[in-house]
Amino acid sequence: MSTSQPLLDVRDVVTHYGKIVALRGVDLSVASGEIVTLIGANGAGKSTLMMTICGSPKATSGQVYFDGEEITGLPTHEIMRKSIAQSPEGRRIFPRMSVMENLIMGAETASNADVDGSLQRVFDLFPRLKERQNQRGGTLSGGEQQMLAIARALMSKPRLLLLDEPSLGLAPLIVKQIFDAIRDLNQGDGLTVFLVEQNAYHALKLAHRGYVMVNGKITMSGTGKELLARDDVKAAYLEGGAH
Amino acid sequence: MSAPQESFLVSCAKDAAVGGLIALALFSLMIGMQADVATGLGGQLGITYRWGAVGIAVAVVFAGRLLLNLFVWKADTPVTRTLGSFIPKASSVVGLGKYAMPIFLVLAVVLPFLLTYWLGSRGSRQYLDLAILVTTYVMLGWGLNIVVGLAGLLDLGYVAFYAVGAYSYALLAQYFGFSFWVCLPLAGILAAFWGIILGFPVLRLRGDYLAIVTLAFGEIIRVVLLNWYEFTGGPDGITGIPRPSFFGIEFERGEGGFADVFGLEYSSIHRIIFLYYLILIMALVTNFVTMRLRKLPIGRAWEALREDEIACRSLGINTTNTKLTAFALGAMFGGFAGSFFATRQGFISPESFTFIESAVILAIVVLGGLGSQIGVVIAAVVMIGGFEFFRGLEEYRMLVFGLLMVVIMVWRPRGLISVRRPSIALSGGKASVISADLVQEGHG
């Protein structure tokens, strides 16, 4: 499954917000075809790492490689045109544009020759979106908006999908639907997924491998099962999380 | 039965009386006493008392408050609700654009002929001048709509580009003797260039902060024009700006003039009609370009930028270029309108490009409904036409005008035409219009 060279490789990345250090030397890699999750408490730096991979903010030191090519210093829009797609934290759909327009925006900058095919795929994945294609994005429910955000990211036919807290503020049943869709994408389409989550139980169950971040540093890593079984992970992140 | 009725009346009257007393206390100083140079006292400063005016003001406050209490604030069925139900819902004007557009267009095209037929060439001149003015503002509104309505960048200094366009033409004509038709594209390019110049420093700003900087930019341009006396003529302005020719044929009496060439009897109205059609075509080009761009990736990127900048970047949209093209294109149309303004007036000075102009153009866009093309037309007709219509009211004109704007914004907080038609839909799928009634977010 994994080749010698990881699809995404983060090496000793340090990121500052002004004078505040957010990431203190993070090493992490995602092989092609994997689902890798990053869990951690609020303010641990999970989202910052996600944003640093996307080039905003830029890493103060260290390197990020995508498919063997260094992308550390590139402007955000160039990174996002490299078969990387991101579903940002808080969904950030375009509220006054229709569902269809939202989806088309996802395919706009990508060199995706088969827009109709991608559209078909995301409608298969989330039939709800097809029903609501002419409705404006802002009128969708939270879960539908999250589906739309993921679907929009998929419209560029990415090889790597970055998901920032897709379960944020959603009911358990919807979370399950979203995670099922991610698994489906990984197994069916061979999509590589890097998932940042607070919902540690579901994320670790879904992922092949996981990393735990504390205070801007990776403290633990291992397969999803291993991490789920560890007592310290259970104590810190899984208290009452197994619903 | 009668007891609560009475107490209702009494409480309304009491409330109104309190309002009247407060008004009396305030107005007795503000209105009742006027400091002026008293006659017969050797030019000393004295006080004139105007108790009659105070009485009227207090009576107005008392009566107004009493009526509002009776019929709106304390009434079971407020009159405003009844009135409000007469105002069409946004969803019911969805079809308006479809019918209004062709009707407006036909009306606009035949307007000069209708006017000259009814009123004769002398009587119609005033109305044609007004039509030219309104159309100029429609064009400016459409230009600003690209920046504010589509890209969501609040620009309070749009008049700067209008000024750049006007001065470009005036100065190029004055120094190099270029004709209007050569200067028109040059003025557009120069204005677009200034749009980019403004765009660069404000790339990272949004909302209120952007508004302040664009406001400052508008003032800078005006102040430079005012003070660079050797080049722009400063407050004296530029006079004798050449009139546009009909593709080389001048609108003059006698041999080789427009009337002579086309075998018509000479009339000064020909030039006015020509100017009217000129601005109409320029405005329609603006509209056409905007409508086309909305359906292209760049137009969708503008709208996406208005909705969410971070999401845009996560989708690989170059927000820098997107913003700069919006500024440049909006500015270009402002520049075109500016050079038209210069050629129509024949005289320009910095006084024509004050902040109030920016405010009026922005008001047209906001009242019309951000991003709505037909809304801009209606708002321009109502605002600029209304300006002239209420001229008879003299000093009360601004009062009526302000009241009108308040009323529109209270009843239609998102502008007259607040629906948005998606620029894309799956083939075969019905592209329903997205009405503001569905979700009232309240923010622009």
Side-chain angles (χ1 to χ4, degrees), chain B residues 175-213:
Chain B
Y175 285 95
F176 302 106
F178 288 175
S179 81
F180 176 73
W181 296 104
V182 177
C183 291
L184 187 65
L186 287 177
I189 290 166
L190 278 168
F193 172 71
W194 280 101
I196 293 171
I197 299 255
L198 166 66
F200 261 111
V202 302
L203 278 173
R204 302 176 57 150
L205 303 177
R206 272 192 85 87
D208 319 358
Y209 306 99
L210 178 66
I212 293 294
V213 177

Short mmCIF file of all heavy atoms in Angstrom, two decimals, chain B residues 175-213:
data_model
loop_
_atom_site.label_atom_id
_atom_site.label_comp_id
_atom_site.label_asym_id
_atom_site.label_seq_id
_atom_site.Cartn_x
_atom_site.Cartn_y
_atom_site.Cartn_z
N TYR B 175 -3.66 68.94 -23.36
CA TYR B 175 -2.23 68.97 -23.64
C TYR B 175 -1.88 68.38 -25.00
O TYR B 175 -0.93 68.80 -25.64
CB TYR B 175 -1.45 68.23 -22.54
CG TYR B 175 -1.34 69.02 -21.26
CD1 TYR B 175 -2.25 68.83 -20.23
CD2 TYR B 175 -0.35 69.99 -21.09
CE1 TYR B 175 -2.17 69.56 -19.06
CE2 TYR B 175 -0.26 70.73 -19.92
CZ TYR B 175 -1.16 70.51 -18.91
OH TYR B 175 -1.09 71.24 -17.75
N PHE B 176 -2.61 67.37 -25.42
CA PHE B 176 -2.24 66.69 -26.66
C PHE B 176 -3.29 66.81 -27.75
O PHE B 176 -3.09 66.36 -28.86
CB PHE B 176 -1.97 65.20 -26.40
CG PHE B 176 -0.89 64.96 -25.39
CD1 PHE B 176 -1.21 64.52 -24.11
CD2 PHE B 176 0.45 65.19 -25.71
CE1 PHE B 176 -0.22 64.31 -23.17
CE2 PHE B 176 1.44 64.98 -24.76
CZ PHE B 176 1.10 64.54 -23.48
N GLY B 177 -4.43 67.37 -27.41
CA GLY B 177 -5.48 67.54 -28.41
C GLY B 177 -6.11 66.23 -28.86
O GLY B 177 -6.65 66.14 -29.96
N PHE B 178 -6.05 65.21 -28.00
CA PHE B 178 -6.67 63.94 -28.37
C PHE B 178 -8.18 64.08 -28.40
O PHE B 178 -8.76 64.84 -27.63
CB PHE B 178 -6.30 62.84 -27.36
CG PHE B 178 -4.88 62.39 -27.46
CD1 PHE B 178 -4.37 61.47 -26.55
CD2 PHE B 178 -4.03 62.86 -28.47
CE1 PHE B 178 -3.06 61.05 -26.63
CE2 PHE B 178 -2.72 62.44 -28.55
CZ PHE B 178 -2.24 61.54 -27.62
N SER B 179 -8.83 63.31 -29.26
CA SER B 179 -10.29 63.37 -29.33
C SER B 179 -10.91 62.46 -28.27
O SER B 179 -10.21 61.64 -27.66
CB SER B 179 -10.78 62.93 -30.71
OG SER B 179 -10.80 61.53 -30.77
N PHE B 180 -12.22 62.61 -28.08
CA PHE B 180 -12.92 61.84 -27.06
C PHE B 180 -12.75 60.34 -27.28
O PHE B 180 -12.53 59.58 -26.35
CB PHE B 180 -14.40 62.21 -27.08
CG PHE B 180 -15.22 61.39 -26.14
CD1 PHE B 180 -15.15 61.60 -24.77
CD2 PHE B 180 -16.07 60.40 -26.61
CE1 PHE B 180 -15.90 60.84 -23.90
CE2 PHE B 180 -16.82 59.64 -25.74
CZ PHE B 180 -16.74 59.87 -24.38
N TRP B 181 -12.84 59.93 -28.55
CA TRP B 181 -12.83 58.49 -28.83
C TRP B 181 -11.47 57.87 -28.59
O TRP B 181 -11.38 56.67 -28.32
CB TRP B 181 -13.29 58.23 -30.26
CG TRP B 181 -14.71 58.66 -30.42
CD1 TRP B 181 -15.16 59.78 -31.05
CD2 TRP B 181 -15.85 58.01 -29.89
NE1 TRP B 181 -16.51 59.88 -30.95
CE2 TRP B 181 -16.98 58.80 -30.23
CE3 TRP B 181 -16.06 56.85 -29.13
CZ2 TRP B 181 -18.27 58.47 -29.88
CZ3 TRP B 181 -17.35 56.52 -28.78
CH2 TRP B 181 -18.44 57.32 -29.15
N VAL B 182 -10.40 58.67 -28.68
CA VAL B 182 -9.07 58.16 -28.34
C VAL B 182 -8.92 58.11 -26.83
O VAL B 182 -8.34 57.18 -26.27
CB VAL B 182 -7.98 59.05 -28.96
CG1 VAL B 182 -6.59 58.59 -28.55
CG2 VAL B 182 -8.11 59.06 -30.48
N CYS B 183 -9.46 59.14 -26.18
CA CYS B 183 -9.26 59.27 -24.74
C CYS B 183 -10.10 58.28 -23.93
O CYS B 183 -9.70 57.89 -22.84
CB CYS B 183 -9.61 60.68 -24.28
SG CYS B 183 -8.44 61.87 -24.87
N LEU B 184 -11.25 57.90 -24.48
CA LEU B 184 -12.15 57.03 -23.71
C LEU B 184 -11.44 55.75 -23.23
O LEU B 184 -11.41 55.48 -22.03
CB LEU B 184 -13.40 56.71 -24.53
CG LEU B 184 -14.50 55.96 -23.81
CD1 LEU B 184 -15.08 56.80 -22.68
CD2 LEU B 184 -15.60 55.54 -24.76
N PRO B 185 -10.82 54.99 -24.15
CA PRO B 185 -10.12 53.80 -23.65
C PRO B 185 -8.94 54.15 -22.75
O PRO B 185 -8.70 53.46 -21.76
CB PRO B 185 -9.64 53.08 -24.92
CG PRO B 185 -9.82 54.03 -26.03
CD PRO B 185 -10.84 55.04 -25.63
N LEU B 186 -8.24 55.24 -23.09
CA LEU B 186 -7.09 55.62 -22.25
C LEU B 186 -7.54 55.95 -20.84
O LEU B 186 -6.90 55.55 -19.85
CB LEU B 186 -6.38 56.84 -22.86
CG LEU B 186 -5.57 56.58 -24.13
CD1 LEU B 186 -4.98 57.87 -24.66
CD2 LEU B 186 -4.47 55.57 -23.85
N ALA B 187 -8.67 56.68 -20.74
CA ALA B 187 -9.18 57.04 -19.41
C ALA B 187 -9.55 55.79 -18.63
O ALA B 187 -9.27 55.69 -17.43
CB ALA B 187 -10.40 57.95 -19.56
N GLY B 188 -10.15 54.81 -19.33
CA GLY B 188 -10.50 53.55 -18.67
C GLY B 188 -9.27 52.83 -18.17
O GLY B 188 -9.22 52.35 -17.03
N ILE B 189 -8.23 52.80 -19.01
CA ILE B 189 -6.99 52.11 -18.62
C ILE B 189 -6.34 52.81 -17.43
O ILE B 189 -5.92 52.16 -16.47
CB ILE B 189 -6.02 52.04 -19.82
CG1 ILE B 189 -6.56 51.09 -20.88
CG2 ILE B 189 -4.63 51.61 -19.37
CD1 ILE B 189 -5.88 51.20 -22.22
N LEU B 190 -6.30 54.14 -17.50
CA LEU B 190 -5.68 54.89 -16.40
C LEU B 190 -6.44 54.67 -15.09
O LEU B 190 -5.83 54.47 -14.04
CB LEU B 190 -5.63 56.38 -16.73
CG LEU B 190 -4.47 56.79 -17.63
CD1 LEU B 190 -4.67 58.20 -18.16
CD2 LEU B 190 -3.16 56.69 -16.88
N ALA B 191 -7.77 54.68 -15.18
CA ALA B 191 -8.56 54.47 -13.96
C ALA B 191 -8.33 53.07 -13.42
O ALA B 191 -8.18 52.88 -12.22
CB ALA B 191 -10.04 54.70 -14.26
N ALA B 192 -8.28 52.08 -14.32
CA ALA B 192 -8.03 50.70 -13.89
C ALA B 192 -6.67 50.61 -13.22
O ALA B 192 -6.50 49.94 -12.20
CB ALA B 192 -8.09 49.76 -15.09
N PHE B 193 -5.69 51.33 -13.79
CA PHE B 193 -4.36 51.37 -13.20
C PHE B 193 -4.42 51.91 -11.77
O PHE B 193 -3.83 51.35 -10.85
CB PHE B 193 -3.46 52.23 -14.09
CG PHE B 193 -2.12 52.53 -13.53
CD1 PHE B 193 -1.16 51.52 -13.45
CD2 PHE B 193 -1.80 53.81 -13.10
CE1 PHE B 193 0.09 51.80 -12.92
CE2 PHE B 193 -0.56 54.08 -12.58
CZ PHE B 193 0.40 53.08 -12.49
N TRP B 194 -5.17 53.00 -11.59
CA TRP B 194 -5.31 53.55 -10.24
C TRP B 194 -6.08 52.60 -9.34
O TRP B 194 -5.86 52.56 -8.13
CB TRP B 194 -5.98 54.91 -10.29
CG TRP B 194 -4.99 55.98 -10.66
CD1 TRP B 194 -4.83 56.55 -11.87
CD2 TRP B 194 -3.98 56.53 -9.82
NE1 TRP B 194 -3.78 57.43 -11.85
CE2 TRP B 194 -3.24 57.44 -10.60
CE3 TRP B 194 -3.61 56.34 -8.49
CZ2 TRP B 194 -2.17 58.17 -10.08
CZ3 TRP B 194 -2.54 57.07 -7.98
CH2 TRP B 194 -1.84 57.97 -8.78
N GLY B 195 -7.00 51.84 -9.93
CA GLY B 195 -7.71 50.83 -9.15
C GLY B 195 -6.74 49.81 -8.57
O GLY B 195 -6.84 49.42 -7.41
N ILE B 196 -5.76 49.42 -9.39
CA ILE B 196 -4.77 48.44 -8.92
C ILE B 196 -3.88 49.08 -7.87
O ILE B 196 -3.54 48.47 -6.86
CB ILE B 196 -3.96 47.90 -10.11
CG1 ILE B 196 -4.88 47.07 -11.00
CG2 ILE B 196 -2.78 47.07 -9.63
CD1 ILE B 196 -4.28 46.64 -12.30
N ILE B 197 -3.51 50.37 -8.12
CA ILE B 197 -2.68 51.09 -7.14
C ILE B 197 -3.37 51.12 -5.78
O ILE B 197 -2.76 50.93 -4.74
CB ILE B 197 -2.43 52.54 -7.61
CG1 ILE B 197 -1.68 52.53 -8.94
CG2 ILE B 197 -1.74 53.37 -6.53
CD1 ILE B 197 -0.26 52.89 -8.88
N LEU B 198 -4.69 51.36 -5.81
CA LEU B 198 -5.44 51.36 -4.55
C LEU B 198 -5.54 49.94 -4.01
O LEU B 198 -5.44 49.72 -2.81
CB LEU B 198 -6.85 51.92 -4.76
CG LEU B 198 -7.86 51.66 -3.62
CD1 LEU B 198 -7.43 52.43 -2.38
CD2 LEU B 198 -9.25 52.07 -4.01
N GLY B 199 -5.70 48.99 -4.92
CA GLY B 199 -5.90 47.61 -4.51
C GLY B 199 -4.74 47.03 -3.72
O GLY B 199 -4.94 46.35 -2.73
N PHE B 200 -3.51 47.35 -4.14
CA PHE B 200 -2.36 46.70 -3.51
C PHE B 200 -2.28 46.92 -2.01
O PHE B 200 -2.23 45.94 -1.26
CB PHE B 200 -1.06 47.12 -4.19
CG PHE B 200 -0.60 46.10 -5.18
CD1 PHE B 200 -0.61 46.34 -6.53
CD2 PHE B 200 -0.17 44.85 -4.73
CE1 PHE B 200 -0.22 45.38 -7.44
CE2 PHE B 200 0.22 43.88 -5.64
CZ PHE B 200 0.21 44.14 -6.98
N PRO B 201 -2.30 48.17 -1.54
CA PRO B 201 -2.15 48.32 -0.09
C PRO B 201 -3.32 47.78 0.72
O PRO B 201 -3.17 47.52 1.90
CB PRO B 201 -2.00 49.84 0.10
CG PRO B 201 -2.53 50.44 -1.14
CD PRO B 201 -2.33 49.46 -2.23
N VAL B 202 -4.48 47.64 0.10
CA VAL B 202 -5.65 47.23 0.90
C VAL B 202 -5.98 45.75 0.76
O VAL B 202 -7.03 45.31 1.18
CB VAL B 202 -6.89 48.08 0.55
CG1 VAL B 202 -6.61 49.54 0.77
CG2 VAL B 202 -7.35 47.84 -0.87
N LEU B 203 -5.04 44.99 0.19
CA LEU B 203 -5.32 43.58 -0.05
C LEU B 203 -5.69 42.82 1.21
O LEU B 203 -6.48 41.90 1.18
CB LEU B 203 -4.10 42.91 -0.67
CG LEU B 203 -3.97 43.11 -2.16
CD1 LEU B 203 -2.65 42.56 -2.65
CD2 LEU B 203 -5.11 42.42 -2.88
N ARG B 204 -5.08 43.23 2.32
CA ARG B 204 -5.30 42.46 3.54
C ARG B 204 -6.44 43.02 4.37
O ARG B 204 -6.73 42.51 5.44
CB ARG B 204 -4.02 42.46 4.37
CG ARG B 204 -2.86 41.89 3.58
CD ARG B 204 -1.61 41.99 4.37
NE ARG B 204 -1.76 41.32 5.64
CZ ARG B 204 -0.76 40.76 6.28
NH1 ARG B 204 0.43 40.75 5.77
NH2 ARG B 204 -0.96 40.18 7.45
N LEU B 205 -7.07 44.08 3.88
CA LEU B 205 -8.12 44.72 4.68
C LEU B 205 -9.49 44.28 4.20
O LEU B 205 -9.69 43.96 3.04
CB LEU B 205 -8.01 46.24 4.57
CG LEU B 205 -6.67 46.83 4.98
CD1 LEU B 205 -6.68 48.32 4.76
CD2 LEU B 205 -6.37 46.51 6.42
N ARG B 206 -10.42 44.33 5.13
CA ARG B 206 -11.80 44.00 4.78
C ARG B 206 -12.73 44.89 5.58
O ARG B 206 -12.35 45.46 6.59
CB ARG B 206 -12.11 42.55 5.13
CG ARG B 206 -11.78 41.58 4.04
CD ARG B 206 -12.38 40.23 4.34
NE ARG B 206 -13.76 40.18 3.90
CZ ARG B 206 -14.12 39.84 2.66
NH1 ARG B 206 -13.21 39.55 1.78
NH2 ARG B 206 -15.38 39.80 2.31
N GLY B 207 -13.95 44.99 5.10
CA GLY B 207 -15.02 45.63 5.87
C GLY B 207 -14.69 47.07 6.24
O GLY B 207 -14.30 47.87 5.41
N ASP B 208 -14.82 47.38 7.52
CA ASP B 208 -14.69 48.75 8.01
C ASP B 208 -13.32 49.32 7.67
O ASP B 208 -13.20 50.48 7.28
CB ASP B 208 -14.85 48.80 9.53
CG ASP B 208 -15.96 47.91 10.02
OD1 ASP B 208 -16.63 47.29 9.17
OD2 ASP B 208 -16.17 47.84 11.23
N TYR B 209 -12.27 48.50 7.82
CA TYR B 209 -10.92 49.01 7.63
C TYR B 209 -10.70 49.37 6.16
O TYR B 209 -10.13 50.40 5.84
CB TYR B 209 -9.90 47.95 8.08
CG TYR B 209 -10.15 47.51 9.49
CD1 TYR B 209 -10.84 46.32 9.76
CD2 TYR B 209 -9.77 48.30 10.56
CE1 TYR B 209 -11.11 45.94 11.06
CE2 TYR B 209 -10.03 47.94 11.86
CZ TYR B 209 -10.70 46.75 12.12
OH TYR B 209 -10.97 46.39 13.39
N LEU B 210 -11.19 48.51 5.30
CA LEU B 210 -11.10 48.78 3.87
C LEU B 210 -11.85 50.06 3.53
O LEU B 210 -11.37 50.91 2.77
CB LEU B 210 -11.69 47.60 3.09
CG LEU B 210 -11.72 47.75 1.58
CD1 LEU B 210 -10.31 47.78 1.04
CD2 LEU B 210 -12.49 46.62 0.94
N ALA B 211 -13.03 50.23 4.12
CA ALA B 211 -13.85 51.41 3.85
C ALA B 211 -13.08 52.68 4.19
O ALA B 211 -13.07 53.64 3.42
CB ALA B 211 -15.15 51.34 4.66
N ILE B 212 -12.40 52.68 5.34
CA ILE B 212 -11.65 53.86 5.77
C ILE B 212 -10.55 54.19 4.77
O ILE B 212 -10.36 55.34 4.36
CB ILE B 212 -11.04 53.62 7.18
CG1 ILE B 212 -12.15 53.51 8.23
CG2 ILE B 212 -10.08 54.74 7.54
CD1 ILE B 212 -12.92 54.76 8.46
N VAL B 213 -9.81 53.16 4.35
CA VAL B 213 -8.68 53.40 3.44
C VAL B 213 -9.17 53.90 2.09
O VAL B 213 -8.61 54.84 1.51
CB VAL B 213 -7.82 52.13 3.28
CG1 VAL B 213 -6.71 52.37 2.29
CG2 VAL B 213 -7.25 51.71 4.62
#
